[in-house]
Amino acid sequence: MAISVLVINCGSSSIKYALISERREDRIYGLAENLGAADARIKGITIGGEPLELSIPYADHAKALETLLARLANYNPQAIGHRVVHGGTMTHAERLTQDTIDRIRHAVPLAPLHNPANLIGIEATLALFPHLPQVAVFDTAFHQTMPERAYRYALPQFLYSDYQVRRYGFHGTSHAYVSERASELAGQKNQGGWLSAHLGNGSSTCAIWNGESIDTSMGMTPLEGVVMGTRSGDVDPSLPLFLSNNLGWDIQKIDNMLNKESGLLGLSDLSNDMRTLVEASENGHEGATLAIEVFCYRLAKSLSALSCGLPRLDGLIFTGGIGENAANIREKTVAYLPHFGLQFSVEKNNSLARGTEGRIDHGTGPQIWVIPTDEEGRIAKETRQVLGQLN
Ligand code: ADP
């Protein structure tokens, strides 16, 4: 019997959690949000499916975790799995030891916004549940199978050897889950060549061959690659120099602009939210229409580029809030990939709504799948694997 795992995902001002038992329908999940603010609160679902809302004014991460873990203790978690964004060159999930914690800390300069929050979660849960086995599951680990030609930047060698400047890739648990699931549904478990597009607030693409990541669109940080909600994705590396020389911007202002004011938000001058943009575009908003066009074209371009690494293309997978829900985004993207020989079914594509997995091609040529992602489920699975509780 599989053990029940508490999955903790600590962000800069929020904590997502899920308690995952062997029965999928028993899953409890929720989040603590607005941490540090007057309206900090916990929102979730109890085991009976009842909504839970709890006000925790000005609670920080540690306080929120304490409140949360005291409640979840009633459900008897037997292990804890932590999502950790940057694992450096760690290739697998690892049981938490002082050495693992030191290595997560060592990767802080590579993910200064994410790893410190992940460490707060780890330290708080270790203090509160010292006897439970705990595991760190890294967003980067799945991509450690990339060949050197895919992970190296064309930069002076010492930046790689002395400072670990290289491509790492993110969203690993999602790409791993959806590619395994699609290949299973296709009856070829973890075999063949797949391209996956994880499209949420952050977005990335991945090429997978026989179950291993061989290339991905995100790089040393999650800023590289396709157009995202507020992140620019790829731009000319000389842009910061131009902004500094001509507008007098400092590096913080440039970083903020590229991460928080660009992407769909910057292009549309309206919103970072795809649902809002789809509606606005239908009502004639030019910025929204342009943002959607650039998003789909650049996404198709990224998928085409990654396809170079695959000996054969068996299928394309859409996931994440946009990939799972926005039928028109899937249709526009596939329209920019005529050379893939995809036989797209408009009817099947339009019939898929949130949470539904399904195949949206006519059954000839490479397959096209919509697979709702399950990062928490994957973290629980990897936690069990590390602890020797295979399921
Ligand atoms: P996160 O990366 O924060 O986990 P999600 O995977 O939930 O985000 O994706 C959020 C994105 O999905 C938002 O841009 C949202 O507008 C988009 N989205 C959700 N539902 C729809 C829909 N029906 N149509 C278009 N976009 C949608």
Side-chain angles (χ1 to χ4, degrees), residues 16 198-202 272-275 278 320-322 325-326 354:
K16 288 188 191 151
H198 175 107
L199 312 174
N201 284 310
N272 64 318
D273 192 286
M274 186 58 95
R275 200 170 357 193
V278 168
I322 299 172
N325 293 293
R354 178 141 207 134

Side-chain angles (χ1 to χ4, degrees), residues 152 156-166:
R152 287 291 293 274
Q157 205 268 341
F158 80 95
L159 289 174
Y160 170 66
S161 51
D162 297 354
Y163 299 96
Q164 297 81 50
V165 174
R166 51 159 284 180

Side-chain angles (χ1 to χ4, degrees), residues 47 286 340:
I47 209 157
E286 287 181 13
F340 277 7

Side-chain angles (χ1 to χ4, degrees), residues 81-104:
H82 293 272
R83 175 195 180 212
V84 177
V85 168
H86 216 303
T89 52
M90 282 189 263
T91 54
H92 293 97
E94 294 213 4
R95 188 162 181 162
L96 277 179
T97 59
Q98 193 52 50
D99 178 55
T100 321
I101 294 172
D102 290 345
R103 292 170 74 186
I104 296 170

Side-chain angles (χ1 to χ4, degrees), residues 41-189:
R41 60 182 174 243
I42 295 174
K43 281 163 81 175
I45 303 287
T46 66
I47 209 157
E50 306 293 317
L52 159 83
E53 185 145 0
L54 209 66
S55 173
I56 43 170
Y58 300 104
D60 58 8
H61 283 77
K63 182 74 197 156
L65 274 168
E66 195 182 318
T67 313
L68 216 125
L69 296 175
R71 291 194 148 240
L72 292 170
N74 300 333
Y75 297 120
N76 262 330
Q78 289 145 295
I80 299 182
H82 293 272
R83 175 195 180 212
V84 177
V85 168
H86 216 303
T89 52
M90 282 189 263
T91 54
H92 293 97
E94 294 213 4
R95 188 162 181 162
L96 277 179
T97 59
Q98 193 52 50
D99 178 55
T100 321
I101 294 172
D102 290 345
R103 292 170 74 186
I104 296 170
R105 194 163 284 122
H106 186 69
V108 165
L110 297 169
L113 299 179
H114 296 100
N115 275 29
N118 300 154
L119 281 165
I120 292 173
I122 286 171
E123 273 154 16
T125 42
L126 280 174
L128 291 160
F129 287 117
H131 304 302
L132 279 190
Q134 307 205 21
V135 171
V137 181
F138 306 103
D139 268 23
T140 46
F142 181 60
H143 302 298
Q144 282 295 309
T145 45
M146 284 193 288
E148 193 163 11
R149 64 176 178 273
Y151 73 69
R152 287 291 293 274
Y153 288 115
L155 292 171
Q157 205 268 341
F158 80 95
L159 289 174
Y160 170 66
S161 51
D162 297 354
Y163 299 96
Q164 297 81 50
V165 174
R166 51 159 284 180
R167 307 182 67 250
Y168 292 92
F170 300 86
H171 290 143
T173 49
S174 179
H175 290 300
Y177 171 76
V178 298
S179 58
E180 188 175 313
R181 179 75 188 140
S183 61
E184 194 174 273
L185 291 167
Q188 53 187 71
K189 197 167 164 21

Side-chain angles (χ1 to χ4, degrees), residues 16 171 198-203 228-229 231 264 271-279 295 319-329 353-354 373 375:
K16 288 188 191 151
H171 290 143
H198 175 107
L199 312 174
N201 284 310
S203 295
M228 304 179 221
R231 284 177 236 157
L264 294 173
S271 173
N272 64 318
D273 192 286
M274 186 58 95
R275 200 170 357 193
T276 306
L277 295 180
V278 168
E279 274 170 30
F295 181 90
T319 192
I322 299 172
E324 292 164 32
N325 293 293
N328 61 330
I329 300 296
R354 178 141 207 134
T373 195
E375 290 169 281

